[in-house]
Amino acid sequence: MRTWSTHLLTEYFTAVNAAEDEETAIASAVERATEMVEAQVGAVVREGRVLGAYGFSGPLPEAGLLAVAAGESLLDVPYLGELHAVANPLGGENADALIVCRSGQTFLTEERQMLQGMAQVLGLALRSIRVLAAERHLRAEKERQATTAQLRQRLVESLLTIQRAISGRRPLPEILDAVTGGAAELLHGDATVTLLLAEGGTDRRLSVASTCGGIEGGPTHEAAARDAMTGGGVLIRPAGHATVIAAPVRVTGEMAGSLVAQLPGDPDQYTEQRDQLDAFAQQVSLALTDARTVEAVREAHHDPVTGLPNRALFLKILNRVLASRGTEADPTSVLFIDLDRFKAVNDSLGHEAGDQLLALVARRVRSCVRASDTTARLGGDEFAALLHDSPVEAAMVVGGRIVASIKEPFRIAGRDIFIGASVGIATSREAVERSETLLDNADVAMYRAKKDGPGRVLVYEPYMHTEALDHLNFRGDLQRALREGEFRLQYQPLIRLADGAPTGVEALIRWHSPTRGFVSPVDFIPIAEEFGLIVDIGQWVLETSAAQVARWRRDFPDLGLNVNVSGHQLVHPRFADNVMRALAIAGLPSSAVTLELTESVLMSEPDLGKAALHVLRGLGVQLSIDDFGTGYSSLAYLRELPVDELKIDRAFIARAELTGEDLALVRTIVELAQILGLRTVAEGIENAAQLSALRRLGCAYGQGYHLCRPTDPAALPARLAERMVEEPTGWPVTHPRT
């Protein structure tokens, strides 16, 4: 029989006493005790249950083990037979015991003594673990109670601070920020708290009045806010892997908005936070109801960025002026001023720079009118001027002065910024004219001026209203088309002129409206850019075409993709991220993609365009200047652009028979591209004569109806396969585009 050593006993005592829970202590004790006396099986019986069974390969004989604990000396074990058993009490009042069983020789007296000692050690360890667990639970409960008391105290202190700010007539934005900040700090370290207030009007649009935290909830927070307002009580519900709590805000008994919190984890753990958020929402209600200070009134009527009257105050002043005018007075004129290219500056340089620019614009507009006239910021990049007793001729002079003033560079963030303005004018002699109507007419004239080109000043005429209504309807149709999937893509191959092989495809968007029929991109793209829809439309084109080309590359591995990019997309702060996300989802390598930008876009904002191109080049995509030759870019500027391709505008090869002048111009562009190391693509190849001339001039690639028409996705693979086997001399002649 193997003898045990002091070392083994020491290991046993150490392992049992080091265990942090009862299960670990029992398992360690049973295994070591069984092995030390060369037994086959072992277990612990504690509080009438068998625990830590060791060595049993068949069904556990629980009844037999309980009998051994009660005094039996034999145990019948499946597959092992009848074993000698010894139960060693763990101490205490119960019949708890450490049991070991073996075949053959019975247990010696010294073995029994050793096992009894081991059982006593195990019993002491188990009782100690239980006592420590109870102490930890008690300590945790006391800590929880203390934490709860501290949170309640912090809640009271935070609410008192807000109440003092309300009583002290602090500025309303400061009070609302204190509410969201205090709630976020109290609720959870990772909480985001947003105050959404309902604006006026029939749609009761919700806008963010204050927020604290790093998560923008967007539609999730707005939906919770509306549900809380509708239900009239606090709601709590899951939102993905987080929890959203929304508490309604009332002003003089009416629903005015909601205080919304987003916290990590499940809703079950946030019962107390639900009540805390409701308490903060009540403070918002009190603050909004009590917002009668001079500062609050000013904030309700003045733009915080420029200090100018806002739209509401401007209309009040205009109403008062119209009502007080006599019939012999000169007409009242309203100027509606809209900035050109402001969004590009705001997106590329940030909102802080955008606010600085708006403040500088406000100064220039004020400097162009008389001290008795009224200027206002209507919202966004729109301003207005009210000219008292001013006929239309004088108003046009003022409008021209404003356009010229804003055309001068603005110094923002250490650089010169160039923007422009379009101005619409409406005048009235009628005292009964509504101020909203006069301002709307000036707005309509401004839209017509902007449509005619930047830097225009136009006076309202009745026919413009119908045009403007059509314009807005067009916008609604575009929004619906994007929402309901009315857009489609066709693809036109890019052909290598040397051998006629297709090397890539250009994605071309198509729109067949249910009400308007086929709408040309020439008609709807400018409107999409004007109303800010082009970013979403462009992203759809990129994502859809990238996924399609990735599938085609399984059969045509070297196929590339060309996608047109608007200037609004180029300067969008997340455009590079959006490009990489679209390519990653599609599984299309960035080297297979060429982004096309028109020369005129790059020249409109040269510094911003160049910086954006360098970012895109860093992603690995290729860049192309589309419609080259029409944008008046300098050679020095062209050399600085990180582009790979020039697309020769179709205007240079539009004639059926190219003249000597046409050929000279195309040759100049091709040679320039070769010097700069750029590939050239000729657009609009309509016949064999044009194709032959371009090949002789050294143009590398081409597109056009003579080579291949834009094709639906389902038919394109067959067309690509056909072109792969066609000889250049056998290219079919197709009809020119009509």
Side-chain angles (χ1 to χ4, degrees):
M1 175 179 295
R2 181 172 65 85
T3 59
W4 52 87
S5 65
T6 303
H7 175 69
L8 293 174
L9 288 172
T10 301
E11 285 186 349
Y12 171 86
F13 296 147
T14 301
V16 171
N17 285 291
E20 294 185 358
D21 56 74
E22 297 180 3
E23 182 179 353
T24 303
I26 290 171
S28 179
V30 172
E31 180 179 354
R32 292 173 184 273
T34 302
E35 291 180 350
M36 287 179 68
V37 296
E38 297 183 346
Q40 279 76 35
V41 297
V44 163
V45 171
R46 190 167 190 234
E47 297 174 348
R49 298 169 55 224
V50 177
L51 306 171
Y54 175 77
F56 295 94
S57 58
L60 186 66
E62 293 189 28
L65 288 167
L66 294 174
V68 171
E72 290 289 335
S73 59
L74 296 174
L75 177 66
D76 188 23
V77 179
Y79 306 117
L80 295 178
E82 195 170 64
L83 305 179
H84 296 288
V86 58
N88 307 282
L90 302 182
E93 299 179 358
N94 300 321
D96 300 341
L98 169 64
I99 297 172
V100 292
C101 309
R102 74 184 181 198
S103 61
Q105 186 180 9
T106 59
F107 293 96
L108 302 176
T109 302
E110 54 268 31
E111 288 179 319
R112 291 175 179 272
Q113 290 175 348
M114 183 194 68
L115 288 171
Q116 288 175 1
M118 296 170 74
Q120 291 291 329
V121 169
L122 175 60
L124 288 171
L126 293 176
R127 287 191 289 277
S128 176
I129 289 171
R130 185 162 290 184
V131 169
L132 289 174
E135 290 178 351
R136 281 196 297 268
H137 177 73
L138 181 60
R139 187 164 56 251
E141 181 62 22
K142 289 181 178 179
E143 290 176 354
R144 189 192 67 79
Q145 293 177 356
T147 301
T148 300
Q150 291 174 358
L151 287 174
R152 288 174 180 166
Q153 180 63 27
R154 287 169 55 195
L155 174 62
V156 171
E157 292 174 355
S158 183
L159 296 180
L160 285 175
T161 300
I162 296 169
Q163 289 176 359
R164 284 194 292 269
I166 295 172
S167 301
R169 307 297 191 188
R170 300 299 302 164
L172 187 58
E174 181 180 320
I175 296 174
L176 300 184
D177 288 344
V179 170
T180 55
E185 180 183 2
L186 187 69
L187 293 177
H188 192 279
D190 295 327
T192 296
V193 178
T194 303
L195 174 61
L196 295 165
L197 295 179
E199 299 178 358
T202 56
D203 58 349
R204 297 282 285 171
R205 189 171 69 90
L206 293 178
S207 61
V208 176
S210 177
T211 186
C212 182
I215 301 174
E216 296 183 1
T220 301
H221 286 189
E222 183 171 338
R226 289 194 182 279
D227 290 346
M229 293 169 64
T230 302
V234 185
L235 64 82
I236 180 169
R237 64 191 183 198
H241 298 293
T243 294
V244 169
I245 310 174
V249 171
R250 297 173 175 83
V251 176
T252 61
E254 296 183 1
M255 288 295 175
S258 286
L259 191 62
V260 183
Q262 180 166 321
L263 307 99
D266 298 326
D268 297 341
Q269 58 183 311
Y270 292 123
T271 302
E272 190 167 348
Q273 284 80 354
R274 180 181 183 275
D275 297 334
Q276 292 170 352
L277 189 72
D278 192 26
F280 279 99
Q282 294 175 19
Q283 295 302 309
V284 175
S285 299
L286 178 61
L288 293 174
T289 302
D290 198 54
R292 295 189 297 267
T293 63
V294 173
E295 183 66 24
V297 171
R298 175 172 177 78
E299 288 167 0
H301 293 92
H302 286 77
D303 171 53
V305 174
T306 63
L308 296 178
N310 61 15
R311 185 186 187 96
L313 181 56
F314 182 80
L315 290 173
K316 287 182 179 179
I317 295 172
L318 180 54
N319 266 328
R320 188 168 63 247
V321 169
L322 292 175
S324 62
R325 289 166 66 268
T327 56
E328 300 299 324
D330 286 328
T332 298
S333 294
V334 171
L335 278 62
F336 198 110
I337 306 151
D338 183 86
L339 304 182
D340 299 322
R341 299 189 298 279
F342 171 76
K343 189 176 186 303
V345 176
N346 202 45
D347 288 344
S348 57
L349 299 183
H351 293 297
E352 183 176 350
D355 287 349
Q356 293 178 27
L357 179 57
L358 290 172
L360 293 175
V361 168
R363 293 181 192 174
R364 292 192 186 180
V365 172
R366 282 201 303 268
S367 70
C368 294
V369 301
R370 298 167 299 187
S372 58
D373 296 328
T374 301
T375 56
R377 181 189 174 201
L378 304 179
D381 60 351
E382 297 175 340
F383 293 80
L386 167 60
L387 309 183
H388 304 268
D389 299 329
S390 180
V392 66
E393 295 80 10
M396 290 188 67
V397 171
V398 174
R401 195 156 57 227
I402 291 173
V403 168
S405 176
I406 294 176
K407 190 176 180 180
E408 294 298 317
F410 293 85
R411 193 69 179 171
I412 303 290
R415 64 195 301 176
D416 286 336
I417 300 299
F418 293 87
I419 61 172
S422 301
V423 178
I425 300 173
T427 62
S428 175
R429 293 181 178 273
E430 302 296 329
V432 295
E433 178 117 47
R434 295 177 65 249
S435 59
E436 292 88 349
T437 302
L438 195 58
L439 183 60
D440 287 345
N441 290 344
D443 187 3
V444 168
M446 182 277 298
Y447 269 112
R448 179 55 193 254
K450 187 178 278 290
K451 185 178 180 181
D452 289 348
R456 301 296 181 92
V457 180
L458 282 184
V459 178
Y460 172 78
E461 297 290 346
Y463 76 87
M464 295 179 182
H465 185 76
T466 301
E467 287 186 352
L469 188 59
D470 291 341
H471 205 55
L472 291 175
N473 289 337
F474 205 134
R475 172 189 180 179
D477 289 346
L478 269 178
Q479 290 173 319
R480 187 199 67 247
L482 183 61
R483 184 175 61 250
E484 299 184 5
E486 295 176 6
F487 292 118
R488 297 290 182 268
L489 290 182
Q490 287 187 320
Y491 297 87
Q492 185 171 30
L494 279 76
I495 304 299
R496 188 166 52 227
L497 300 187
D499 58 7
T503 61
V505 293
E506 180 180 356
L508 303 172
I509 190 169
R510 300 290 184 256
W511 178 28
H512 194 282
S513 167
T515 56
R516 298 175 181 270
F518 176 78
V519 185
S520 170
V522 175
D523 295 326
F524 72 79
I525 292 297
I527 296 178
E529 290 180 333
E530 177 183 344
F531 288 110
L533 301 173
I534 193 64
V535 172
D536 290 336
I537 293 175
Q539 187 65 18
W540 175 85
V541 171
L542 181 61
E543 293 175 357
T544 304
S545 60
Q548 180 66 75
V549 170
R551 290 192 292 270
W552 285 335
R553 280 170 64 91
R554 299 167 190 166
D555 298 318
F556 308 97
D558 297 326
L559 193 68
L561 169 65
N562 282 43
V563 178
N564 292 284
V565 174
S566 84
H568 294 273
Q569 290 175 272
L570 182 64
V571 297
H572 192 279
R574 290 187 295 275
F575 180 57
D577 293 337
N578 291 340
V579 170
M580 292 310 295
R581 185 175 68 252
L583 300 186
I585 293 173
L588 187 65
S590 57
S591 59
V593 177
T594 300
L595 302 180
E596 298 185 9
L597 300 109
T598 63
E599 191 179 5
S600 57
V601 164
L602 295 174
M603 290 307 298
S604 64
E605 294 288 347
D607 292 339
L608 298 179
K610 185 165 59 177
L613 290 184
H614 279 288
V615 172
L616 292 170
R617 168 55 74 82
L619 303 179
V621 300
Q622 300 192 61
L623 302 168
S624 172
I625 299 181
D626 195 13
D627 300 335
F628 183 76
T630 62
Y632 311 107
S633 60
S634 68
L635 179 58
Y637 179 67
L638 184 61
R639 292 181 60 186
E640 296 177 0
L641 295 178
V643 298
D644 306 275
E645 177 182 281
L646 295 182
K647 298 192 76 173
I648 304 171
D649 187 74
R650 65 181 67 251
F652 292 102
I653 58 172
R655 277 185 275 267
E657 293 291 336
L658 299 182
T659 67
E661 183 180 352
D662 295 331
L663 294 173
L665 289 172
V666 174
R667 179 183 294 109
T668 300
I669 295 174
V670 171
E671 291 176 352
L672 172 64
Q674 291 173 347
I675 293 171
L676 297 176
L678 308 177
R679 62 180 178 267
T680 51
V681 180
E683 298 183 288
I685 300 176
E686 304 284 348
N687 57 50
Q690 293 171 346
L691 173 61
S692 178
L694 289 166
R695 292 180 64 199
R696 290 196 306 271
L697 293 174
C699 184
Y701 301 90
Q703 284 178 283
Y705 276 29
H706 181 69
L707 301 175
C708 186
R709 290 173 175 268
T711 306
D712 291 334
L716 189 68
R719 296 292 294 126
L720 293 177
E722 291 173 7
R723 301 233 37 115
M724 291 294 187
V725 299
E726 287 178 357
E727 294 292 332
T729 56
W731 292 345
V733 177
T734 58
H735 295 291
R737 180 167 19 185
T738 57

